[in-house]
Amino acid sequence: MMRLRRVVLARGSRGYRALVKRSADATAAIETFDELESSPAPPRGDATSIVRVRYSSLNYKDGLVLSGAKGVAKYPVVPGINLVGEVMIDAPFGPPRGTRVVCVNGALGQTADGGYAEFARVATPDLTPLPPTLEDVDAAAIGTAGFTAMQCVLHLERYGGMTE
């Protein structure tokens, strides 16, 4: 089993910021962390990559988390159910350092810290490399809504309902 590496930000840095919802009843607030291991809800397991977050969109589920809706998230958590960014520290079997990635699935923003932060530890299987022809901002705009729409079209094509 691989041992998790302790990730400490550069000496003299201000740390990294994240929007944190501590409980369903608490107001979300921006907090600063010196290291990723001290974040509210890092993903479990060894296969996690460190991603510098460039974009994260606002989705309905994020609104539910931020409003404290019951049964949507395990608090404390950093909301943001999707993110686009660059791998800063890679993990076994994951995209190498420098790879632009998107994450639109997994427990992001619900039971593991999400995209409303400058950095995120993301389960490696949940990362998808971006093609060079897709800009980061465009990938973020597609996000979960685009992924859901694509799944609907694929389902209709596979099981009928699509006519030409």
Side-chain angles (χ1 to χ4, degrees):
M1 180 182 285
M2 181 187 101
R3 183 175 173 170
L4 287 177
R5 292 176 275 177
R6 185 179 173 105
V7 179
V8 179
L9 301 176
R11 186 178 298 270
S13 73
R14 62 165 170 50
Y16 81 97
R17 295 173 298 169
L19 181 68
V20 179
K21 179 84 168 168
R22 291 270 167 202
S23 71
D25 299 326
T27 301
I30 295 176
E31 298 182 17
T32 301
F33 300 93
D34 292 329
E35 57 188 41
L36 287 163
E37 284 77 9
S38 63
S39 66
R44 289 168 175 64
D46 292 337
T48 58
S49 296
I50 306 300
V51 177
R52 180 186 303 270
V53 178
R54 292 197 176 132
Y55 295 98
S56 183
S57 59
L58 177 64
N59 293 280
Y60 180 71
K61 198 176 286 183
D62 296 318
L64 292 174
V65 171
L66 290 167
S67 68
K70 304 295 183 209
V72 179
K74 182 179 176 195
Y75 299 101
V77 71
V78 173
I81 66 168
N82 61 34
L83 64 82
V84 174
E86 178 183 349
V87 175
M88 301 304 291
I89 298 177
D90 50 13
F93 310 109
R97 182 176 188 202
T99 303
R100 296 170 40 250
V101 294
V102 62
C103 179
V104 295
N105 55 353
L108 213 61
Q110 295 177 268
T111 58
D113 289 335
Y116 293 177
E118 293 174 314
F119 291 90
R121 262 176 58 189
V122 180
T124 300
D126 294 338
L127 293 175
T128 302
L130 289 174
T133 55
L134 186 60
E135 296 293 327
D136 292 347
V137 68
D138 296 327
I142 294 169
T144 303
F147 180 74
T148 302
M150 180 192 70
Q151 292 294 337
C152 291
V153 169
L154 291 174
H155 184 82
L156 288 170
E157 287 177 341
R158 181 175 296 140
Y159 300 107
M162 292 285 293
T163 59
E164 295 192 30

